[in-house]
Amino acid sequence: MAEFPTKARVVIIGGGAVGASSLYHLAKKGWTDCVLLEKNELTAGSTWHAAGNVPTFSTSWAVMNMQRYSTELYSGLGEAVDYPMNYHVTGSLRLAHSEERMQEFRRAAAMGRYQGMQIEILSPEEAKERYPFLETHDLAGVLYDPHDGDIDPAQLTQALAKGARSMGARILRFTPATGVTQKADGSWIVHTDKGDIACDHVVNAAGYYAQRVGEWFKPYGGRTVPMMVMSHQYLLSEEVPEVEAWTRQSGHKLPLLRDVDTSYYLRQEKHGFNLGPYEPNCQAHWVDESDPIPEDFSFQLWQDDLDRIEEIVTDAMERVPLLATSGVSRVINGPIPYAPDGLPLLGPMPGVRNAYEACVFTFGIAQAGGAGKVLAEWIVDGATEWDMWACDPRRFTDYTDHDYCVAKGMEVYGHEYAMHFPWHEWPAGRDRKLSPVHDRIKALGGQMGAYNGWERANWFAQPGDDTSEAATHTWGRTGPWEQRIREECEAVRDGVGVLDLPGFSRFNLSGAGAADWLRGRIAGGLPKVGRMNLAYFPDDRGRILTEMSLLRHDEDFFTIITAASAQWHDFDVLRPAMDAGLSLSDHSTEYSTLIVTGPKSRALFETISEGADLSLPWLSHQAAKVAGRNAALARVSFAGELGWEIHAETADMPAIYDAVLDAGAKPFGMWALNSLRIEKGYRAWKGDLSTDYTLLEGGLERFVKLDKPQDFPGKAALLAEKQRGVKKRFVTLVVEAGDCDAPYMSCLWHGGEIVGETTSGAWGYRVGASIALGMLRADLAVPGTELEVEIYGAKHRAVVQQDRPLWDPENERLRA
């Protein structure tokens, strides 16, 4: 027997498909001195009872990338590691009952084509040809994914494990981790009942035990892992002679079927069926003291509960009547972990150095291959090939308490196949963080959205407006909000508007050398004292890691403001300042912000402010009194008009907000702000600004000083890119869009080929046009170039604009 390893580069806690894939991919990258710990046998958690479906479909670009990679890996894995695997690429049919669902399918199909997958849209009759037992009379259409299929989860895990072992990695079964200790240098000791292992990095891949493992990291800056556990049932039927006959005649299995509007999948299992419902009447487990999580639930299931899925089973039998001819041979009812948005936690552990998460996978078999690749890139390279913010553990912050996680997990499970309309807000788990003027906003008609847990008004309804949830179930621009957004934008254009903006991420950085430290981290320069500017933090490849606003109070004292959702991510970006002996502190909840903007905003401040020099130029900031309260005024406006941001202590904001309203400002919401910012070409974080693009591709040259003496991450990469030329360029497009504006990752076409993608889109009410921002092949990024934008399956003419804002291109209104 091999000696117990006392040292490793990486220790992975958890031996499911994701943990095994992580070990395999680390070894593939040359990190072979890594160890995986499993308290029982490999696959003992959710992996062993997983159905094993392997779809590529997703409306998330990152998740589609991850799942596509899995299918590519699995197709050759058995041969690569010399391990027998049952992997059936059957294709799949997704059934649409409505035109809205067809629009979603067309969007996903376009994304798939961009990633090289030949996803097709079929008529019901064409679907019947592929699946002769299917009832199609009430269908609007079908999405066919030829890459979809199923795999044996245990074989997949064992194949990955064999591949990892063959490269030198170690797997210790029946070796439970019992805790962790971090040493002063940031390395770890992982404790087991067989001995300790010293390592540089540790990974929580503990599946539905991830929250329990996560508690070990709290003394070192960690938090409670945001997750809960759902009961998921699927039924295995007895064998069906007609299925056996069809398979023998055709030489292959039936395509996997998903009736997403009824919420189930149905696939061929040997010569019978596997039916997996996602029922709205769902059941959470291990949520309170009466139902505690056992110390060990390895290879265990719950008692079946068929009553709660009866309606879906009945519907499936009507859709495929052959299903009703066979009995149920077995019911599987096992635990599946859920994060609050249904996506996994994959990446750096928030607040903890040299620790990572690869856990809470709801579709772990489909995503395991891609997850292992991503996790290995995080650890070895410090960055991932694809921007993975959709799965980054830091996307959730301190609002995800137990009740929130349970409510959201049940909501996601019960709507597993739901359409995510751009105007819709999910109702569970709301009001986690409230603005100091929340009640006032609601009384004014504010229709709220959640932003990193903070409630903000999306738009302001008037009496008689339809504010029902049903009204938001549309991909189109038209709705009760449209006229209100127009009015809000016009108020900002012609008068003065006010936007309540709680939750900005706000950090103070100070100490001798703070300025020099920042110069070595950002691509551009620093503002002078009393001024502010945008700063871009590249990664080592020159890609856009993040954007922050720097307000300089003194030579080495800065307030740094960034997006609400970036709070934990950007604090991690700045955290090395603490290692440099500087002071870094988070003040995000102590202050709130109002945007007061429009051509009449200066006149408004003349009536409610004291001690403010309103002639100070754009991008200046100062201390003043507003409505008799202490505040900071920053002359900047994301709306692209004359305006100021008011930053004040939370307790003082109600008086300030009332004074701004009384002085004549019209409230506006986040949807109007999105329209206003896109007319100016202002980028949004993790849409237009992501690690999928370099700073030069993103059109941010004016924020890059390659001639400054300081080195900074990505400087060499950007110099090389500048010399050889960029492959893509950021562009603004005016689109003949019809009823729907271009969503994120809509394909750009030219000459019959895909040449780029949109990063955001909206109607511009000041310019009277649909606008898209995007990334385009460099040779086509010329003003006047005509393209087509594919919006929900239909191609619309678009024209590349000059590299300047569509609204107020000389910034005269902004600087007035």
Side-chain angles (χ1 to χ4, degrees), residues 398-422:
D398 58 354
Y399 60 95
T400 56
D401 62 16
H402 176 73
D403 290 345
Y404 176 87
C405 290
V406 172
K408 295 302 287 186
M410 293 185 70
E411 181 179 65
V412 172
Y413 181 96
H415 299 86
E416 188 62 66
Y417 295 124
M419 291 175 276
H420 294 268
F421 296 107

Side-chain angles (χ1 to χ4, degrees), residues 217-278:
F217 295 88
K218 277 189 170 180
Y220 311 106
R223 86 303 184 213
T224 299
V225 174
M227 63 170 290
M228 53 84 71
V229 175
M230 292 298 301
S231 153
H232 176 61
Q233 301 182 94
Y234 63 89
L235 286 66
L236 300 176
S237 81
E238 296 170 342
E239 295 206 346
V240 181
E242 292 89 339
V243 171
E244 182 178 8
W246 185 89
T247 303
R248 187 173 291 115
Q249 180 182 358
S250 66
H252 57 81
K253 291 171 68 174
L254 287 163
L256 195 154
L257 192 72
R258 289 185 181 85
D259 194 331
V260 289
D261 291 313
T262 308
S263 196
Y264 65 85
Y265 67 81
L266 181 70
R267 87 159 194 247
Q268 182 177 336
E269 184 77 26
K270 296 182 180 176
H271 294 133
F273 291 104
N274 174 334
L275 172 63
Y278 289 91

